[in-house]
Amino acid sequence: MKFTLSWLKDHLETEADVHQIAEAMTMAGLEVEKVLDPAAKLAPFTVARIVSAERHPNADRLQVCQVETVDGMKEIVCGAPNARAGLTTIYAPIGAYVPGLGVTLVEKPVRGVVSNGMLCSASELELADESDGIQELPPEIPVGTPVAGLFGAEPVIDFEVTPNRPDWLGVAGIARDLAAASVGRLKHFDIAVVRGGFPSPISVRLEAPEMCPVFAGRVIRGVQNGPSPAWLHKRLTAIGLRSINRLVDVTNLIAYDRARPLHVYDLAKLSGTEIVVRGGLTSAETGEHEHLIALDGKTYAAGPTDCVIADANGERPIGLGGVMGGESTGCDDDTTDVFLESAWFDPLVIAQTGRTLGIHSDAQYRFARGVDPVSVTPGLELATRLILDLCGGEPSDIVFVGEPPASPSPFAFDPAHVKRLTGMDLTDDRIGTILGQLGFLVQAAPTGQAEPWIVTPPSWRRDVEGPADLVEEVARIEGFDTLPEVALPPVANAAGGVLNPRQARVRTARRALAALGYAEAVTWSFTKQSTAALFGGGDDRLVLENPIAADLDCMRPSALPNLIQAAARNAARGFADAALFEIGPIYLGDGPKDQRTVIAGLIAPHAARHWEGAGENPLFALKGDLNAVLEEIGAPVASLQLVQGQNRDWWHPGRSARLQLGPKNVMVEFGELHPRVLKALDADGPMLAFEIVLENVPEPRGKSGKTRGSADLSAFMPLTRDFAFVVEDAKPVGDLVRAAAGADKTLIADVRVFDVYRGKGVDEGFKSVALEVVIQPRDATLAEAEIEALTAKIVAAVEKQGGKLRA
């Protein structure tokens, strides 16, 4: 919604400038988008006079003009056909920005002659839609006069209208709120009744009162249409509307001035003597809706839910009620007799028509939000008076059909609610004054009623339904900046902290994975049923009855499919080397007991090729990251069993494993994802992942919140011993590492695998695993006998796991 300051002053006596008005609107709850100042845009342009004009030596269509300007005599090259000696026009100096061309002038030669500026047309300054040449001004205007003052350019306020305030779609409604906010005094104008001189030859029949409860109109004959006067043309063009002709411009003016859309029909183009308001028709044979060519030149199909205005006994559609008129009955310069329409259309019907047909006209915008039903007759009278003043003519009696919807109902109100809800300490007189200035009727309640007032909202405020709405009105007009500042009461911190143990572990895992270089993904808890089936789900228990999308119709049984698809989308956009994680729920059955929280991670190792090779094995890198996360969340890593060959079928059978505390407590599955699954999800492999079931990770022993003790550092140098054990090829190496480390937990600080060998010297079906054991003396340097004894304990512990010391 846009308006100018001079337009506002037609309704509001005020000394405030445009910026003060914008500030007052903001404080009153109107969202000002911007203040457009065309005067600032036209500031560089001044009046100039052409002294001489000669043909350009190198171009037949150009002239070299000597121009008297505010900067002295300037030589300017001009291509306008009307450039001539003695012409008073508009001058743009070097460095000026020409808005109609979108260029900033620079000094440069034009066909060999330097042009020291530019002579401008009205369209180049966005003062007109088109121009035949440079602007011709009256010769008596002095050279150097600013152009902005000549064209009456004034600032325009552009603000956003909330859906609940259709009265703000008229300048009169804005003036009313500003007057209540003490920005000025509201001007009250009585709309004079225009008496008809003859009965209306056009009657109206309502066949769809649910779409159009009330319809009024009158005939005005003998009008003289044509271009609008300067004041009307200027007012409309200032807010971005195109001036069409007097009749149409009057309806546009009232729509923006009073939030009252109207429509005018050329009487000579109407068929018959009756206008019918009905729903759109559908052909019984073809099932197609009837068609209408609207004023925008487009053809629309009006269905039964759309309101149609028709003539010829209701057979020919001539307009979409409350949305747009038809091309067949539009007014032009030859129009002499008109039928003027003022009606009220149901907002829901008009909103649906706009969405269905894709029409967003000024009328549709207003009717969809709710036009004041009481304005039907006043709007018709006001338009009649303006048409008679501008076009002449003789009006008929008014045709009024139907019954407008009931006005808002009164309700009880206690002014003490203002202080209770806002803290504002206002007198009853001040509260009553604000409500009265906004159009509310405030009356004393009957004796014995709890609330002292009965308040009736005005017909244009159907959004006000109760006391809280009135409190909001008082608060915004008094000013939200006057709300008292009151500190919230202090709240003691919970003794046990704000996070429970599980939440703390989730936060720890999130930070650990981020530190390892993983990016967190937040995806839906839903997936496609066929995708869920790939991960052991997809049965009817997990299918949604009312999904938000066709491809999100099933609760996810795993977080991995969403991570796989996210990595695939990254790869499709040129970022193939992804490392993602997500912490969230998965669903294994049809009840809360079957819901689990998982920590899932995924890597897609697609690093750029390099002559050094692929680097670290990605599966070992993933396992290292997994162990780091498990240690951070307090999982018993040293006690975990690594089991291969028992993972579910979306894992690669030979490149995956699980970590468990016995067969009944599987904490983690990890490894490479099966190529079949990746292909089904349109993802390029390889991809490796892990999924930790948080419920299966036991809480760390000891009291929560206990801090770590001091570091236990030995003063003695550590020593290492290497061992090579031959074991069956299927034996997990981790079992040997744990066995060796458990041989003496006091002295053995670490056990590392540094080689795995298969080949000559090792029987088929077996492998040689080389371990480096780090021994850390504590109390004294170990004697050779003590080292030999520890070595024997290590060999014995590993032999219990099936290992045999290699000779």
Side-chain angles (χ1 to χ4, degrees):
M1 174 68 184
K2 298 178 182 179
F3 66 92
T4 61
L5 182 58
S6 63
W7 195 340
L8 177 68
K9 288 184 176 181
D10 284 352
H11 299 277
L12 186 71
E13 289 184 5
T14 181
E15 298 299 325
D17 62 25
V18 67
H19 298 289
Q20 292 170 328
I21 292 293
E23 176 66 20
M25 291 174 63
T26 300
M27 298 311 297
L30 289 86
E31 185 180 349
V32 176
E33 294 282 340
K34 55 188 173 182
V35 177
L36 307 171
D37 191 358
K41 182 173 63 176
L42 297 176
F45 303 95
T46 55
V47 174
R49 185 171 290 107
I50 300 176
V51 177
S52 65
E54 299 180 357
R55 198 178 75 174
H56 193 290
N58 301 320
D60 293 337
R61 295 186 179 182
L62 298 178
Q63 297 187 75
V64 179
C65 303
Q66 303 300 321
V67 184
E68 181 185 359
T69 72
V70 68
D71 301 321
M73 293 296 295
K74 296 287 184 180
E75 186 172 74
I76 298 175
V77 178
C78 180
N82 61 334
R84 61 186 183 275
L87 177 65
T88 301
T89 186
I90 299 174
Y91 160 68
I94 297 297
Y97 176 78
V98 183
L101 300 178
V103 299
T104 299
L105 299 181
V106 295
E107 186 176 325
K108 65 178 183 179
V110 179
R111 293 290 185 95
V113 177
V114 175
S115 183
N116 299 285
M118 178 180 177
L119 302 179
C120 303
S121 67
S123 61
E124 288 166 340
L125 301 188
E126 295 184 340
L127 298 172
D129 293 335
E130 55 185 24
S131 302
D132 294 331
I134 57 176
Q135 182 68 31
E136 298 192 20
L137 299 174
E140 61 270 17
I141 300 177
V143 171
T145 302
V147 169
L150 294 177
F151 289 91
E154 59 176 321
V156 175
I157 295 178
D158 185 2
F159 73 100
E160 188 68 28
V161 178
T162 55
N164 66 316
R165 292 303 304 271
D167 56 306
W168 283 345
L169 291 169
V171 179
I174 302 164
R176 184 188 303 111
D177 275 28
L178 290 175
S182 303
V183 180
R185 187 178 67 84
L186 186 66
K187 298 178 182 179
H188 294 280
F189 298 101
D190 292 329
I191 299 176
V193 174
V194 181
R195 298 192 179 278
F198 58 95
S200 172
I202 300 295
S203 61
V204 177
R205 173 159 49 98
L206 294 181
E207 290 187 354
E210 71 282 1
M211 297 182 177
C212 176
V214 60
F215 191 104
R218 75 184 334 159
V219 169
I220 305 176
R221 62 191 184 191
V223 299
Q224 185 176 354
N225 200 12
S228 293
W231 69 267
L232 180 53
H233 182 279
K234 173 185 170 183
R235 178 154 291 183
L236 296 179
T237 55
I239 62 172
L241 293 180
R242 183 171 62 90
S243 177
I244 300 174
N245 55 53
R246 296 173 196 168
L247 293 170
V248 176
D249 288 356
V250 164
T251 62
N252 287 335
L253 175 73
I254 296 176
Y256 276 80
D257 188 71
R258 304 298 176 103
R260 162 35 66 184
L262 304 161
H263 188 64
V264 61
Y265 301 89
D266 189 328
L267 188 63
K269 298 176 182 178
L270 290 176
S271 178
T273 60
E274 185 182 45
I275 285 180
V276 179
V277 183
R278 57 171 173 78
L281 302 178
T282 302
S283 172
E285 297 179 356
T286 64
E288 294 184 356
H289 299 327
E290 63 180 332
H291 290 79
L292 166 74
I293 302 176
L295 286 172
D296 61 1
K298 298 179 181 179
T299 301
Y300 298 100
T305 59
D306 303 316
C307 185
V308 171
I309 312 297
D311 64 359
N313 295 321
E315 294 183 2
R316 184 183 72 150
I318 58 173
L320 292 167
V323 179
M324 188 176 291
E327 187 179 68
S328 62
T329 56
C331 295
D332 52 36
D333 290 348
D334 297 328
T335 299
T336 56
D337 301 324
V338 298
F339 180 78
L340 181 62
E341 167 202 304
S342 180
W344 192 87
F345 299 92
D346 182 82
L348 293 178
V349 172
I350 302 307
Q352 184 60 47
T353 296
R355 284 192 293 267
T356 303
L357 302 182
I359 304 178
H360 304 285
S361 64
D362 286 339
Q364 189 271 344
Y365 186 78
R366 284 161 172 77
F367 278 119
R369 282 156 178 77
V371 173
D372 180 9
V374 178
S375 68
V376 171
T377 300
L380 185 63
E381 297 282 17
L382 181 58
T384 301
R385 173 52 56 195
L386 283 172
I387 290 174
L388 295 180
D389 290 344
L390 297 179
C391 306
E394 181 184 8
S396 75
D397 296 333
I398 292 177
V399 178
F400 191 96
V401 182
E403 186 70 27
S407 295
S409 301
F411 53 85
F413 177 69
D414 186 349
H417 288 326
V418 174
K419 182 171 178 59
R420 183 172 63 85
L421 295 180
T422 68
M424 291 180 169
D425 194 4
L426 303 179
T427 65
D428 289 359
D429 287 344
R430 176 57 180 158
I431 296 172
T433 298
I434 291 175
L435 294 178
Q437 289 178 319
L438 292 174
F440 294 88
L441 177 62
V442 180
Q443 297 172 303
T447 304
Q449 184 169 309
E451 287 82 2
W453 292 354
I454 297 295
V455 178
T456 304
S459 57
W460 60 84
R461 290 303 306 273
R462 296 178 178 272
D463 61 305
V464 176
E465 299 177 347
D469 296 325
L470 296 181
V471 173
E472 181 185 1
E473 292 299 300
V474 173
R476 71 178 184 86
I477 294 300
E478 185 65 20
F480 292 125
D481 55 338
T482 64
L483 288 170
E485 297 181 4
V486 180
L488 293 172
V491 178
N493 292 330
V498 295
L499 298 180
N500 61 37
R502 173 170 293 188
Q503 291 171 329
R505 299 178 89 178
V506 167
R507 183 174 67 173
T508 300
R510 180 176 286 113
R511 292 178 174 177
L513 285 163
L516 290 168
Y518 288 71
E520 183 172 12
V522 180
T523 69
W524 294 105
S525 293
F526 322 117
T527 187
K528 196 174 182 179
Q529 186 177 7
S530 59
T531 300
L534 296 172
F535 290 82
D539 56 60
D540 293 340
R541 296 178 301 165
L542 298 180
V543 175
L544 301 173
E545 292 184 1
N546 186 24
I548 61 174
D551 57 348
L552 296 173
D553 59 348
C554 185
M555 305 302 292
R556 65 182 185 184
S558 169
L560 295 179
N562 290 354
L563 291 180
I564 293 170
Q565 291 171 325
R569 286 192 296 270
N570 277 272
R573 289 158 177 79
F575 299 94
D577 192 23
L580 306 174
F581 79 92
E582 181 175 9
I583 303 176
I586 62 171
Y587 306 88
L588 307 178
D590 55 1
K593 62 182 180 63
D594 290 326
Q595 179 177 325
R596 301 288 187 272
T597 300
V598 297
I599 304 170
L602 179 141
I603 59 174
H606 295 283
R609 292 182 296 175
H610 196 273
W611 66 273
E612 291 181 344
E616 184 181 11
N617 187 310
L619 182 57
F620 292 153
L622 179 81
K623 186 172 183 293
D625 294 343
L626 172 60
N627 283 334
V629 173
L630 291 173
E631 288 178 357
E632 286 292 328
I633 64 175
V637 178
S639 303
L640 293 179
Q641 302 171 354
L642 187 144
V643 179
Q644 292 179 279
Q646 296 187 23
N647 278 23
R648 288 170 287 188
D649 58 2
W650 55 88
W651 297 100
H652 194 297
R655 301 174 189 173
S656 62
R658 59 171 51 173
L659 297 176
Q660 61 186 36
L661 287 171
K664 294 185 178 181
N665 187 2
V666 178
M667 286 173 41
V668 188
E669 287 189 337
F670 72 98
E672 187 173 328
L673 291 162
H674 201 291
R676 170 184 54 81
V677 173
L678 298 181
K679 182 179 180 181
L681 296 179
D682 196 23
D684 293 332
M687 288 188 183
L688 298 92
F690 62 81
E691 197 165 42
I692 305 170
V693 180
L694 196 57
E695 284 82 357
N696 294 349
V697 181
E699 296 284 346
R701 295 180 179 179
K703 295 182 179 179
S704 61
K706 183 178 179 181
T707 58
R708 291 183 180 181
S710 58
D712 183 16
L713 302 178
S714 175
F716 301 95
M717 289 288 293
L719 65 150
T720 62
R721 286 293 183 269
D722 293 345
F723 301 86
F725 294 99
V726 177
V727 295
E728 293 181 357
D729 207 3
K731 184 68 175 178
V733 174
D735 291 349
L736 307 185
V737 172
R738 279 190 295 274
D744 190 323
K745 295 182 179 180
T746 301
L747 292 176
I748 297 176
D750 194 13
V751 179
R752 294 188 285 262
V753 179
F754 67 88
D755 186 38
V756 177
Y757 171 74
R758 298 177 183 83
K760 186 177 180 181
V762 177
D763 295 341
E764 187 176 352
F766 288 82
K767 61 187 174 184
S768 173
V769 180
L771 304 180
E772 180 187 42
V773 179
V774 180
I775 303 170
Q776 178 62 67
R778 296 293 178 181
D779 300 324
T781 301
L782 296 178
E784 188 66 28
E786 294 173 310
I787 296 174
E788 291 296 334
L790 179 59
T791 299
K793 291 171 66 177
I794 294 172
V795 171
V798 174
E799 286 180 345
K800 290 182 180 180
Q801 294 293 326
K804 180 181 179 182
L805 188 66
R806 186 179 177 189

